[in-house]
Amino acid sequence: MFAPVAALASGGVVGLVLGLIGGGGSILAVPLLLYAVGMPSAHVAIGTAAFAVAVNAAAGLAMHARKAPIRWPCAIVFSLAGVGGAFAGAALGKAMDGQKLVALFGILMIVVGLMMLRPKDKGGSQSAWLTRENARQLLPRLIVLGAGVGLLSGFFGIGGGFLIVPGLILAADMKLEEATSASLVAVTAFGITAAGSYAWSGLVDWHVAALLIAGGVAGALAGTKANAALAQRKGVLTRIFALFVIAAGLYVGGRGLFDLLQA
């Protein structure tokens, strides 16, 4: 497939999934860039995907902020802690052999798929904002979990929403809806950090990133419209997508391991 067309189509697939089931689509960005677009290395694919994910998350954040209040204090602390982790993760990712990175990414996809099959925790009934009174309790949890999630996000160049949402629920007793909105702050911050690190090393293809973003916008619009029509089947769609992610992870991990053994 001609690379520009493949990049647009790949962005469309990622955006469609995000609009249809509300998350998980960004995990497909790196394998699509590697095997559909034909990017030259895992490192360039990760850097390019990180930038596209950050831009899409920023757009989603703007839309969420208009509809409902975002718990900014918790989201900002979590994100600031994660930025350091994302920077360290990106440095580790760039230093790792490309085949090993692809194999590990395949394992990550399998883990993500299994997590998506689990029932979602709705979060605690307590939904307190970060204040001086509860800072001693909330800050350590937000900082530790934020740094850990940021490390994984930077290492693999993904949004990490599947980890950020439960991380925010665990750290700040957020409800699922609150954590989903607040997670976009962290996805944006982690993506910009990882993309900046990869860009500094010349590992971002800006042309492909722009096409990926453009395709993502179109796909997200289509997915959002389809979501309204298929609202009653969202759980089924999520499970089907999770199984697809697991199957794709087996392929990506197997191919990465094969290339590693052949090297």
Side-chain angles (χ1 to χ4, degrees):
M1 186 182 292
F2 186 51
V5 176
L8 277 171
S10 297
V13 171
V14 172
L16 180 66
V17 171
L18 288 172
L20 192 59
I21 66 174
S26 63
I27 194 71
L28 297 178
V30 171
L32 283 170
L33 288 175
L34 282 173
Y35 304 124
V37 180
M39 302 220 77
S41 74
H43 296 104
V44 177
I46 288 174
T48 303
F51 178 74
V53 167
V55 172
N56 288 335
L61 175 61
M63 291 187 288
H64 274 260
R66 292 180 181 179
K67 296 179 180 179
I70 293 176
R71 292 180 61 183
W72 289 105
C74 289
I76 290 173
V77 171
F78 189 94
S79 300
L80 288 176
V83 163
F87 185 80
L92 289 172
K94 289 188 295 183
M96 178 169 284
D97 177 78
Q99 282 81 16
K100 290 182 181 178
L101 202 54
V102 171
L104 288 175
F105 197 92
I107 295 173
L108 176 71
M109 292 183 74
I110 296 170
V111 173
V112 171
L114 292 173
M115 290 180 67
M116 292 180 73
L117 289 173
R118 294 178 57 191
K120 289 187 177 180
D121 186 354
K122 298 297 182 181
S125 58
Q126 302 297 321
S127 188
W129 284 61
L130 179 62
T131 63
R132 290 183 179 180
E133 289 72 23
N134 62 22
R136 183 174 294 182
Q137 177 187 6
L138 292 184
L139 276 178
R141 290 154 57 181
L142 288 165
I143 291 171
V144 171
L145 288 168
V149 173
L151 180 70
L152 291 174
S153 179
F155 184 77
F156 290 109
I158 58 173
F162 64 94
L163 287 175
I164 294 171
V165 170
L168 286 168
I169 290 173
L170 181 62
D173 299 314
M174 287 189 185
K175 296 177 182 178
L176 179 61
E177 295 77 10
E178 293 175 327
T180 300
S181 296
S183 71
L184 293 171
V185 180
V187 173
T188 303
F190 299 168
I192 290 174
T193 302
S197 177
Y198 275 86
W200 181 261
S201 301
L203 296 172
V204 174
D205 188 320
W206 300 107
H207 179 64
V208 171
L211 292 171
L212 195 68
I213 293 167
V217 171
L221 291 174
T224 301
K225 291 182 179 179
N227 177 271
L230 300 172
Q232 301 301 320
R233 300 182 180 179
K234 185 175 179 180
V236 176
L237 291 171
T238 300
R239 287 192 291 273
I240 292 173
F241 179 70
L243 293 173
F244 172 76
V245 169
I246 292 171
L250 290 170
Y251 171 78
V252 171
R255 182 159 175 173
L257 183 60
F258 177 79
D259 291 341
L260 184 62
L261 294 175
Q262 291 293 106

